[in-house]
């Protein structure tokens, strides 16, 4: 299904990685590490990497910082997408998203269902666009990070993917925003 047109140029994307956790540090953040490694291996740039506790205000503030940074094209988070009281990543994302990418969560859960069955219903994975920056929220397990990257994002963040991809839309993501003044 996924196919690359090798006649098209590869355009690297600058991606920030956010791990949402009350207990992880950069030293033991396996999911964030796997994601950063896969981003680099695909030819993209890890623009920044951080860990935020399960706090909607802190997550939204970090997202807003990266959304405002012209050196960040996309943010991928891992963690906090479940249904427990401390899982607030989707709520934080909703505070900053201009437009949701509805199909992302649906596709993630469909692909996940093939591997973990009905347990996938506990995931509130989602995606959207905020002021021209792509935002993707994945669950915190290493398997979920691999599935989200390997089965969806590696393709949609590759400018050579046909018939279409997120990268080719990047120049048009800010069309609704007022022009920036120098």
């Amino acid at each position: 299904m996924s196919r690359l047109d090798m006649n098209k140029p590869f355009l690297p994307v600058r991606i920030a990685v956010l791990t949402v956790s009350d207990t992880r540090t950069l030293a033991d953040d396996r999911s964030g590490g796997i994601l950063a490694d896969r981003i680099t291996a695909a030819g993209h740039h890890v623009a920044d990497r951080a860990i935020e506790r399960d706090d909607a205000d802190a997550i939204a503030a970090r997202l807003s910082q990266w959304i405002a940074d012209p050196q960040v094209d996309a943010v991928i988070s891992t963690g906090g997408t479940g249904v427990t009281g401390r899982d607030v990543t989707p709520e934080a994302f909703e505070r900053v998203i201009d437009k949701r990418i509805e199909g992302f969560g649906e596709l993630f859960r469909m692909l996940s269902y093939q591997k973990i069955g009905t347990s996938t219903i506990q995931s509130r994975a989602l995606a959207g666009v905020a002021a021209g920056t792509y935002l993707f929220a994945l669950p915190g397990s290493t398997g979920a990070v691999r599935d989200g990257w390997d089965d969806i994002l590696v393709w949609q963040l590759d400018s050579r993917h046909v018939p279409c991809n997120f990268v080719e839309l990047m120049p048009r993501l800010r069309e609704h925003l007022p022009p920036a003044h120098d």
Side-chain angles (χ1 to χ4, degrees):
M1 259 184 270
S2 294
R3 189 171 63 84
L4 299 180
D5 179 348
M6 300 313 280
N7 294 315
K8 290 180 152 188
F10 176 79
L11 302 173
V13 178
R14 298 167 298 197
I15 304 168
V17 176
L18 176 62
T19 298
V20 177
S21 175
D22 287 335
T23 60
R24 297 280 179 235
T25 66
L26 285 178
D28 66 1
D29 174 21
R30 290 182 46 220
S31 292
I34 288 168
L35 190 52
D37 290 346
R38 278 173 156 66
I39 289 167
T40 303
H44 300 295
H45 304 293
V46 176
D48 200 359
R49 185 171 170 199
I51 296 179
E52 290 294 343
R53 66 192 185 286
D54 291 282
D55 176 276
D57 292 335
I59 297 164
R62 177 68 69 168
L63 293 172
S64 294
Q65 174 189 346
W66 283 334
I67 292 163
D69 185 343
Q71 297 304 308
V72 175
D73 301 314
V75 176
I76 305 174
S77 74
T78 173
T81 62
V83 296
T84 71
R86 297 290 297 154
D87 292 323
V88 295
T89 300
E91 288 77 12
F93 269 59
E94 291 294 345
R95 292 182 188 182
V96 300
I97 286 177
D98 297 327
K99 294 184 180 186
R100 286 187 65 137
I101 303 171
E102 299 293 345
F104 178 80
E106 295 164 358
L107 178 58
F108 176 83
R109 284 180 286 279
M110 182 198 79
L111 294 167
S112 181
Y113 177 78
Q114 296 169 5
K115 297 174 184 178
I116 65 169
T118 60
S119 294
T120 193
I121 202 165
Q122 295 180 24
S123 165
R124 296 186 300 146
L126 74 137
V129 179
T133 302
Y134 285 116
L135 304 174
F136 305 97
L138 295 171
S141 73
T142 56
V145 167
R146 286 184 188 102
D147 293 346
W149 179 262
D150 296 349
D151 296 342
I152 305 171
L153 293 174
V154 72
W155 302 106
Q156 281 298 301
L157 294 176
D158 192 318
S159 55
R160 302 166 299 177
H161 183 264
V162 290
C164 57
N165 59 75
F166 285 141
V167 179
E168 66 193 6
L169 300 176
M170 288 170 66
R172 298 182 51 212
L173 293 179
R174 300 178 195 274
E175 290 174 335
H176 69 292
L177 302 175
H181 297 287
D182 295 326

